[in-house]
Amino acid sequence: MRFAVCAFVTLFAGSGFAQDDAVVITATRFSDLKRELPVGVTIITADALRRSAATDLPELLALFGLLHIRNNAGTPNQQIDLRGFGATGDQNTLVLLDGVRLSENELVPAQLNAIPLESIERIEIVRGAGAVLYGGGATGGTINIVTRPAPPGSTRGHAVGRAGGFGTTELRAGIERQGERFGGALAFSTEDTEGYRRNNRYRQANVAGRLDARLTEGRAWLKLGAHEQRLRLPGALTEAQIAADPRQTLTPDDWSERSGAHAGLGAMRMLGQHELAADLALRRREASAFFAAFGGFFTDTRADVWSFTPRAKLGFDAFGRSHELVLGADLERWDYDTLSASAPEAAGTPFSRRAGDQDSRALYAQASVWLATATRIVLGARQQRTEERLAEQVFPVDDRRRTHSLEAYEAALRHAFGGGLSTYAKYGKSFRVATFDENACFFPPCAPQLLLPQTATGGELGVEYERRGLRARLSAYRLDLDNEIYFSPLVFANVNLAPTRRSGVELETAWRALRALELRFALALLDARFRSGEYGGVAVGGNRVPLVPEALATAGVSWTFAPRSRLNVDARYVGRQRFDNDQANVFRHQPDYTLVDVKLEHAFARRWSAALEVRNVFDERYFSYGVWDLGTSYSAFPQPGRAAYLSLAYRID
């Protein structure tokens, strides 16, 4: 009922959407006008990020991006799921930082909390697209987090302190200076919280820097960053334990640690109406964790990835219009090493040690042609060769290799009818190669081959309206998948599934009702099903895929009720879904839930502001991930109750 009231109040709503129909985005790996692209794009602005009561990037994406997030580990590293992939949401949603892949080649989420929020200019969410330009893992879509330097001759800075519920303290600060030729920026953030549950302490520190050089006909940049995270792991609770005390822990000795660094060197140059660009990126991640149950289980992982992505946008004129051809190559290398032992002290004598590498080389082309004044067509194709190897060096000893020849393609069209109304249609093919963790063998006999790549074909129809402060998008899509990569608890390994399908309807609206009042509302109806096949001897054709909500909805109000004061209200509804392990659809549904956040801001001086935030105002008791125990109950990770926070900010714009 609370959600229904919020949805009614904000029926034509968005402060999270960019309203300017001339907004430039980078969905083609080069700058382009959003209104002219034949895809549905959601843009989350820096102002929307700043207004929200949430400071966790996955939470912000869920509020403004019409996607699902789930906590399947009891930590802030939440899983992202775009268009309903359930347990493999992270592996089917490609996350980029300035066009460079941030998604991992393991069964872990992209480290979104390692990005300082104030360094973000905007976030571009392109649904069901990206395979041609970026490769594997984009079946659900791509999320590109964009950081940009300030305009020449400007200085920007910020310092934000925040404290509140569950013993939370947070500090974010940064400075940026751009001259006419050279500039740079430095930002850092720290957060320390005891967490909602016992043994739930979370500590995170991030630093990011950038140097920029503006050339006569181009630009060059160097980007550096590092992060460190320390977590205590409270573990899952049974249904009865949650009812007794949702804040308890049965794993007081469990923990995990993670650190990493990245560096990126890039440049772009204009040659008349042509544009050349390239990025060279390096990234390292180190992670370890300890679980005390069953005598102890310790893991230690190192992963390195480098990529080189040269590309060109060639402009040409024909039939009175300017057209574009994007050509590019992607070269990528992953190196991976992990060990498992009974304790950190036993790392020298592990009972498992895996080493792997993956090399990918790809060429792609995408042509964007105007067929008429108001009609644009985009055609693209990608050819990729991936060589992968994974070796178990202790038990069971094996060395498996496989080479894949992969392809992706897209055809899309947009037509503008005038008056702010337009329509688009697209059809394409995408793929995904199994991660190192998905190919791992824990018990003999190991599969003789590494998993087959997952492929998907599908299309989307959409209509958009954008005029006089009102923006709306309505679309319907369908994806048919073959060899979907999925974990089977029956054999305790990942397998290639029988055919599956994803389909749905999405509605996004944003309305500036008054100069001081902005509203938004979004709704997604999701249907994820097995098309055929058996699971544990049970025919699952027509059954729902677990962990995919039947509906998602968000609503929000941003009201500047006084010259220096603003009230922001955000609501998020997650519909019921099948528990993990319930491919047979015989257990009861995981409950739906509604979360409401409120933030009151006041600027009391030229550069100073204060804010009061209340998360989960109605103290909803919920969990976003649950697993059926194959009996009469389940285990889950209880999520935080109501909490309040105070913040003080100083900004130079």
Side-chain angles (χ1 to χ4, degrees):
M1 178 61 70
R2 290 193 297 263
F3 176 75
V5 172
C6 293
F8 177 78
V9 171
T10 60
L11 181 59
F12 292 92
S15 59
F17 290 119
Q19 299 286 330
D20 186 355
D21 65 356
V23 167
V24 175
I25 64 173
T26 57
T28 62
R29 298 189 83 156
F30 290 96
S31 299
D32 210 331
L33 291 178
K34 177 179 70 70
R35 64 182 178 185
E36 296 179 350
L37 289 172
V39 290
V41 181
T42 301
I43 299 177
I44 306 174
T45 64
D47 191 49
L49 298 178
R50 185 184 298 181
R51 293 181 189 184
S52 172
T55 60
D56 178 275
L57 193 48
E59 294 279 354
L60 290 163
L61 287 171
L63 281 172
F64 296 103
L66 196 58
L67 53 79
H68 184 43
I69 59 173
R70 67 178 59 86
N71 189 326
N72 57 0
T75 78
N77 300 324
Q78 300 201 62
Q79 184 183 50
I80 293 175
D81 189 358
L82 188 59
R83 288 192 165 171
F85 283 86
T88 60
D90 279 322
Q91 287 69 51
N92 287 280
T93 304
L94 182 58
V95 181
L96 309 164
L97 179 61
D98 291 324
V100 176
R101 184 182 291 261
L102 197 63
S103 295
E104 303 289 359
N105 201 355
E106 303 158 63
L107 290 178
V108 293
Q111 187 64 357
L112 295 176
N113 288 327
I115 305 171
L117 287 179
E118 273 76 7
S119 69
I120 299 173
E121 181 184 86
R122 66 181 183 277
I123 301 173
E124 303 167 0
I125 302 176
V126 185
R127 304 173 191 280
V132 168
L133 295 175
Y134 294 104
T139 300
T142 57
I143 300 173
N144 189 18
I145 301 165
V146 181
T147 63
R148 289 292 186 213
S154 64
T155 300
R156 296 193 299 202
H158 68 273
V160 181
R162 181 173 177 264
F166 314 125
T168 298
T169 58
E170 186 177 1
L171 176 63
R172 307 193 304 269
I175 186 70
E176 181 175 5
R177 169 63 182 167
Q178 294 294 325
E180 293 301 322
R181 295 295 299 274
F182 299 99
L186 181 65
F188 79 93
S189 61
T190 63
E191 182 178 2
D192 191 338
T193 177
E194 291 298 324
Y196 172 65
R197 297 175 57 196
R198 288 180 277 281
N199 193 45
N200 203 186
R201 188 179 182 186
Y202 164 72
R203 289 169 289 168
Q204 174 90 29
N206 313 306
V207 62
R210 187 184 68 245
L211 296 174
D212 293 284
R214 296 180 181 272
L215 310 174
T216 304
E217 295 293 337
R219 188 167 64 91
W221 57 86
L222 172 64
K223 299 177 182 179
L224 302 169
H227 72 272
E228 184 177 75
Q229 184 182 93
R230 300 290 182 266
L231 291 168
R232 303 296 299 184
L233 303 176
L237 299 176
T238 66
E239 182 178 10
Q241 291 163 349
I242 293 173
D245 179 8
R247 303 187 69 172
Q248 67 176 303
T249 181
L250 304 179
T251 58
D253 299 317
D254 291 4
W255 55 266
S256 74
E257 297 181 351
R258 175 171 175 164
S259 62
H262 67 269
L265 180 65
M268 62 80 59
R269 180 174 175 81
M270 298 296 301
L271 297 173
Q273 63 183 49
H274 310 309
E275 185 175 347
L276 305 178
D279 285 283
L280 176 64
L282 303 169
R283 181 158 58 91
R284 160 163 285 197
R285 186 180 73 87
E286 301 180 359
S288 57
F290 176 71
F291 305 90
F294 307 109
F297 181 78
F298 170 72
T299 65
D300 188 54
T301 302
R302 303 287 187 274
D304 296 295
V305 56
W306 72 266
S307 62
F308 179 54
T309 57
R311 56 200 182 275
K313 181 172 73 172
L314 309 178
F316 60 96
D317 298 326
F319 312 111
R321 291 297 302 261
S322 295
H323 315 278
E324 298 170 358
L325 175 64
V326 174
L327 300 172
D330 287 338
L331 306 176
E332 186 177 79
R333 165 83 180 192
W334 287 86
D335 289 296
Y336 168 83
D337 184 87
T338 185
L339 65 83
S340 301
S342 59
E345 300 78 23
T349 56
F351 52 74
S352 173
R353 181 159 196 163
R354 296 189 302 277
D357 53 71
Q358 186 181 100
D359 286 287
S360 294
R361 299 179 293 279
L363 296 173
Y364 61 87
Q366 186 181 76
S368 178
V369 178
W370 289 93
L371 300 181
T373 303
T375 306
R376 187 182 190 184
I377 186 171
V378 173
L379 300 172
R382 181 186 188 92
Q383 190 68 40
Q384 180 168 316
R385 181 180 175 86
T386 297
E387 299 171 355
E388 55 179 340
R389 170 184 171 269
L390 186 63
E392 172 59 60
Q393 301 170 344
V394 181
F395 177 81
V397 176
D398 76 325
D399 190 329
R400 293 173 292 163
R401 305 165 188 257
R402 198 159 197 166
T403 299
H404 309 288
S405 293
L406 305 161
E407 64 177 18
Y409 57 79
E410 276 184 357
L413 180 143
R414 174 180 286 271
H415 177 75
F417 294 102
L421 181 66
S422 62
T423 186
Y424 67 89
K426 63 181 180 181
Y427 183 83
K429 178 181 180 180
S430 63
F431 61 84
R432 178 171 89 82
V433 177
T435 67
F436 292 121
D437 290 341
E438 288 171 319
N439 272 317
C441 174
F442 298 98
F443 303 105
C446 297
Q449 294 286 338
L450 300 176
L451 291 169
L452 293 170
Q454 166 189 303
T455 60
T457 56
E460 179 177 350
L461 293 172
V463 60
E464 291 188 340
Y465 179 81
E466 190 166 356
R467 193 177 186 187
R468 296 177 181 174
L470 174 65
R471 177 178 182 263
R473 181 183 70 88
L474 176 65
S475 68
Y477 65 90
R478 172 172 157 169
L479 283 168
D480 289 336
L481 293 94
D482 292 301
N483 294 318
E484 181 173 353
I485 302 166
Y486 201 82
F487 180 75
S488 169
L490 301 175
V491 298
F492 204 67
N494 287 275
V495 298
N496 289 116
L497 289 180
T500 55
R501 173 174 294 153
R502 305 298 192 279
S503 58
V505 176
E506 296 170 339
L507 170 68
E508 293 182 286
T509 63
W511 182 33
R512 184 180 289 275
L514 302 168
R515 180 183 294 271
L517 181 64
E518 297 179 9
L519 309 170
R520 63 181 173 85
F521 174 73
L523 172 68
L525 304 177
L526 303 97
D527 189 35
R529 294 184 184 270
F530 298 100
R531 286 152 55 199
S532 63
E534 290 189 355
Y535 201 93
V538 177
V540 297
N543 286 4
R544 289 187 175 272
V545 176
L547 298 179
V548 179
E550 296 178 3
L552 298 172
T554 60
V557 178
S558 181
W559 177 33
T560 305
F561 60 89
R564 292 188 175 185
S565 301
R566 182 165 59 193
L567 176 67
N568 302 285
V569 181
D570 295 308
R572 178 164 63 96
Y573 169 79
V574 178
R576 67 177 193 170
Q577 56 196 286
R578 291 289 178 178
F579 281 87
D580 202 3
N581 273 359
D582 188 21
Q583 288 77 15
N585 289 185
V586 295
F587 190 56
R588 63 184 187 267
H589 287 87
Q590 185 173 311
D592 61 351
Y593 55 91
T594 301
L595 305 175
V596 178
D597 302 331
V598 175
K599 183 177 183 179
L600 180 63
E601 301 175 86
H602 178 71
F604 56 88
R606 179 184 174 190
R607 293 173 174 169
W608 290 89
S609 64
L612 170 65
E613 311 159 21
V614 181
R615 306 289 311 280
N616 194 358
V617 171
F618 297 104
D619 201 25
E620 181 91 333
R621 302 297 179 177
Y622 74 103
F623 53 88
S624 58
Y625 173 82
V627 56
W628 179 34
D629 66 4
L630 302 180
T632 60
S633 188
Y634 62 84
S635 295
F637 295 91
Q639 294 300 284
R642 179 172 49 236
Y645 304 87
L646 284 172
S647 62
L648 181 66
Y650 177 83
R651 288 187 171 89
I652 303 172
D653 294 318

